[in-house]
Amino acid sequence: EAGNDNNDPQDDADIADVTVDVTYDLALAKVVDATSLAADGLYDGTATFTLTLQNQGTVPSNDFTVTDWVPVGLTPVLPIPNSGVWSSGARTITWTVSNLDPGDTITRSYEVHVTDFTARPYRNLAEIS
């Protein structure tokens, strides 16, 4: 019978469900402008790391933090752009992002100097939390 809910013996009620696709999906990609640095005098090579953050989800991100761990042997050039906060003890740079709408992309970059070439190779990583 049209309009009949199997749980209702009457035909005066029916249920219609609506689903909402809610996907929270932030992505981070990181690149460095120089994968190999030449010693320029006192091995003070310079590199720039760029993080690209994108909301690949279907809802606004709200606040989130991006943390980048700077390896021993590299020292960031201060101040860190975009209100990045350098913690020398933890060797991290953090940025707080207030919101990223679905489909939006932002970048965060910073420059480092090589301060200890014996610590190479340098493995740098970042994450969203």
Side-chain angles (χ1 to χ4, degrees):
E1 296 175 19
N4 188 8
D5 179 6
N6 291 334
N7 295 325
D8 184 357
Q10 304 293 320
D11 63 358
D12 59 353
D14 202 357
I15 298 172
D17 292 328
V18 175
T19 60
V20 177
D21 180 26
V22 175
T23 305
Y24 190 84
D25 184 12
L26 295 176
L28 183 149
K30 183 174 185 174
V31 296
V32 63
D33 70 339
T35 57
S36 178
L37 297 173
D40 56 357
L42 299 174
Y43 60 86
D44 188 22
T46 303
T48 301
F49 289 100
T50 301
L51 292 75
T52 302
L53 308 157
Q54 182 179 33
N55 185 344
Q56 297 177 330
T58 60
V59 295
S61 69
N62 294 320
D63 295 352
F64 64 93
T65 301
V66 179
T67 304
D68 191 297
W69 284 267
V70 179
V72 171
L74 300 179
T75 300
V77 176
L78 301 177
I80 306 297
N82 298 107
S83 302
V85 177
W86 167 241
S87 172
S88 59
R91 301 203 54 80
T92 59
I93 298 171
T94 56
W95 292 271
T96 299
V97 179
S98 61
N99 188 54
L100 199 57
D101 287 328
D104 284 356
T105 300
I106 60 171
T107 60
R108 297 292 182 259
S109 296
Y110 68 96
E111 192 173 64
V112 295
H113 287 291
V114 176
T115 52
D116 183 358
F117 72 93
T118 65
R120 68 191 190 284
Y122 310 105
R123 176 170 262 172
N124 184 250
L125 69 103
E127 75 176 359
I128 297 169
S129 58

